[in-house]
Amino acid sequence: MKALPVADPATVRRSVAELARAEKRALGLALLLHIAAAVAGLAAPWLVGRIVDRVGGGATAADVDRLALAIGACVLVQILLSRTAQNVGNRISERANARLREDFVSRTLGLPISVVERAGTGDLATRSSVDVATVGNTVREVVPTVLISAIQLVLIIGAVLLLQPLLGIAVLAGVPTTAAVGRWYLRRAPQAYLAEGEATSELTESLTATAEGARTVEALRLADERIRHGTERIARQWATRRATLALRTVFFPVVESSYALPAAAMLLAGGFFLAHGWVTLGAVVAATLYAQQTIDPVDRIMIFMEQAQRGIASLARVLGIGLVPPEPRGVAAAPPGQQLVVRGARFSYPGGHDVLHGIDLEIQPGERLAVVGPSGAGKSTLARLLAGIDAPREGAVSLGGVAVTALEPAERRRRIALVTQEHHVFIGTLRDNLAFAAPGATEPEMLSALLAVGADWYADLPDGLDTELGDGARQLNPADAQQLALARLVLADPHTLILDEATAALDPTTARRTERSLAAVLQGRTVIAIAHRLYTAHDADRVAVLADGRISELGSHDELVRAGGAYAALWRSWHGDKSS
């Protein structure tokens, strides 16, 4: 399994800059509103200091009341400005979050099938769920909070320096400790959170593979092996989470212990300066209140810094999808013919040996070819080469004289369709699920496609084609879901169909009936069937026997049975002593 790439810091920064540029005006407005709200919040401590000095100078109750009313007015203005700024910021965050999700979906759908299969479903599933959600939370909550807190902190420190420069140094008493532990944390956190995300992907992949292959695990008595494999992944995830927890157990206590330093330093310095007559009591009170006000923004920045590291790590994983080279665009024009030809094809998966050895095969337009052979013979690999999903390491696979992989992907899929035993029911109506294959299909065409594959169960649905399917709605059993996939194939109407055990989920009687119905509907189309039931081979025009990555026999069913070779032995063992 080859993991999907992770974006480097420069790519993450560029992505953030692009999001900011897209919301430049709205960000400017939000920034101005937050600054205005923070300035309004600075008035209260200064006015309290004025009250202290006025009272010490013999001010009347009316003077104090006016200053108190001014404090109330400033607080009200701050609330209104903050609320407006937050509303503007929330809209920005939601738009940015939507843009990130849409880009992720677009990039994911553009991934080559071979890349997705090599990466495994666990990594992609984790990125599309956990990482996307984490990035969404970061954009929605972390970024605005850190931005607001930073503005407040800068303005508070500036207010102290402006009010009384002598006391300005004291408000910075906690900076050395916070800066030192922050630098220590930031040097270690990014890689730690990336490792945690990777471990989560591996665990998801392990659990998904075990759950999806539960029957195989039980049949081959692999339960202990899968438990061991899952335990190892859990242990790795636990280790990575303990590593990030260790960083937090150092970071947060040190930061929180420094919160009291500015106020304590302010009182000590203020008392000294007051005793020498360098400052007034009101100035000391105001400066101390300002120092106390720094605790809240610093606390929020430090808390959300940890969440920001998670968000940055998740964003790097989400953006990594876009680093996968897209499926190559076609360089050849649409082929004039429909003959599918394989010449000297050899193929190996990354890091492995050849699984196909010099395959030569010509498939005529409209021919029905069955490919049979033992497990591991290379049947599914050959199907992938014929469909253009993978390219041969040596040799060529061509359609109408043009290399299959050189065709424009949309043109290739229009001409060649591969249906495997893996199928998916999308959340939506039955009509929506069928329309994926042919958006312009009419209702009679959809119903005809369902009938062609024997999916008469649709008549029992409460709302017919408009019945909701998928999670939280009507659930189709594996056989019905496979018939739905075949109905999509009928609607797509490609010239060449490759069925890789596409009826494996059906019982033998239903599968035979479905395949014969399909054959009638697809008359004149080229059909290549990877057969696990030999009646498929019996009904085909020709049969190719694949063994150890080579075609050992090729001919019609009757010819191969008369030849008395491997196919004849296979037919007799499957069908008894009958010869046809």
Side-chain angles (χ1 to χ4, degrees), residues 253-405:
V254 173
V255 169
E256 291 173 1
S257 66
S258 68
Y259 287 165
L261 294 179
M266 192 69 71
L267 291 173
L268 289 172
F272 178 80
F273 295 151
L274 181 63
H276 289 77
W278 296 345
V279 296
T280 65
L281 178 59
V284 174
V285 171
T288 303
L289 289 175
Y290 281 133
Q292 192 69 18
Q293 276 190 344
T294 63
I295 293 178
D296 183 55
V298 170
D299 185 56
R300 282 183 288 165
I301 289 174
M302 294 301 104
I303 288 175
F304 279 100
M305 183 181 292
E306 186 269 336
Q307 295 188 30
Q309 292 306 306
R310 290 182 181 273
I312 291 171
S314 291
L315 181 58
R317 287 167 53 79
V318 168
L319 294 176
I321 297 293
L323 301 180
V324 177
E327 191 170 13
R329 311 314 300 174
V331 296
Q338 300 291 350
Q339 186 183 37
L340 200 54
V341 178
V342 184
R343 286 280 181 263
R346 295 178 179 273
F347 181 81
S348 63
Y349 291 99
H353 55 78
D354 281 353
V355 293
L356 294 180
H357 307 274
I359 298 293
D360 289 300
L361 185 63
E362 291 186 10
I363 306 166
Q364 301 302 321
E367 181 180 11
R368 292 176 301 163
L369 174 73
V371 181
V372 301
S375 297
K379 301 187 298 297
S380 293
T381 302
L382 177 59
R384 292 168 62 86
L385 295 189
L386 293 172
I389 294 174
D390 291 314
R393 183 178 63 80
E394 291 182 11
V397 179
S398 62
L399 177 67
V402 177
V404 172
T405 52

Side-chain angles (χ1 to χ4, degrees), residues 12 196 278:
V12 174
E196 183 180 325
W278 296 345

Side-chain angles (χ1 to χ4, degrees), residues 103-393:
D103 288 345
F104 177 81
V105 171
S106 176
R107 291 168 177 170
T108 301
L109 293 176
L111 288 174
I113 295 175
S114 56
V115 172
V116 176
E117 291 178 344
R118 284 196 293 270
T121 56
D123 192 8
L124 191 58
T126 301
R127 295 190 191 212
S128 61
S129 55
V130 176
D131 289 324
V132 169
T134 301
V135 172
N137 179 69
T138 301
V139 172
R140 187 182 303 108
E141 297 182 13
V142 177
V143 173
T145 301
V146 171
L147 178 63
I148 296 167
S149 300
I151 292 172
Q152 290 176 338
L153 191 59
V154 170
L155 290 177
I156 290 171
I157 294 173
V160 176
L161 292 171
L162 184 64
L163 173 69
Q164 186 50 257
L166 288 175
L167 298 174
I169 301 301
V171 80
L172 302 175
V175 170
T177 303
T178 303
V181 73
R183 178 180 174 82
W184 175 86
Y185 176 78
L186 291 176
R187 290 175 61 183
R188 294 163 174 79
Q191 289 303 317
Y193 282 111
L194 283 174
E196 183 180 325
E198 182 180 347
T200 301
S201 292
E202 291 179 357
L203 176 58
T204 304
E205 173 68 27
S206 177
L207 295 178
T208 301
T210 301
E212 291 180 348
R215 292 183 178 180
T216 303
V217 170
E218 182 179 2
L220 299 180
R221 300 179 182 178
L222 296 175
D224 292 340
E225 168 63 22
R226 296 310 299 175
I227 291 173
R228 182 192 62 78
H229 189 272
T231 303
E232 289 176 355
R233 296 303 180 271
I234 292 172
R236 181 166 186 268
Q237 187 192 44
W238 173 241
T240 58
R241 291 201 170 186
R242 288 190 63 183
T244 56
L245 178 61
L247 295 177
R248 295 194 292 274
T249 56
V250 173
F251 177 68
F252 285 114
V254 173
V255 169
E256 291 173 1
S257 66
S258 68
Y259 287 165
L261 294 179
M266 192 69 71
L267 291 173
L268 289 172
F272 178 80
F273 295 151
L274 181 63
H276 289 77
W278 296 345
V279 296
T280 65
L281 178 59
V284 174
V285 171
T288 303
L289 289 175
Y290 281 133
Q292 192 69 18
Q293 276 190 344
T294 63
I295 293 178
D296 183 55
V298 170
D299 185 56
R300 282 183 288 165
I301 289 174
M302 294 301 104
I303 288 175
F304 279 100
M305 183 181 292
E306 186 269 336
Q307 295 188 30
Q309 292 306 306
R310 290 182 181 273
I312 291 171
S314 291
L315 181 58
R317 287 167 53 79
V318 168
L319 294 176
I321 297 293
L323 301 180
V324 177
E327 191 170 13
R329 311 314 300 174
V331 296
Q338 300 291 350
Q339 186 183 37
L340 200 54
V341 178
V342 184
R343 286 280 181 263
R346 295 178 179 273
F347 181 81
S348 63
Y349 291 99
H353 55 78
D354 281 353
V355 293
L356 294 180
H357 307 274
I359 298 293
D360 289 300
L361 185 63
E362 291 186 10
I363 306 166
Q364 301 302 321
E367 181 180 11
R368 292 176 301 163
L369 174 73
V371 181
V372 301
S375 297
K379 301 187 298 297
S380 293
T381 302
L382 177 59
R384 292 168 62 86
L385 295 189
L386 293 172
I389 294 174
D390 291 314
R393 183 178 63 80

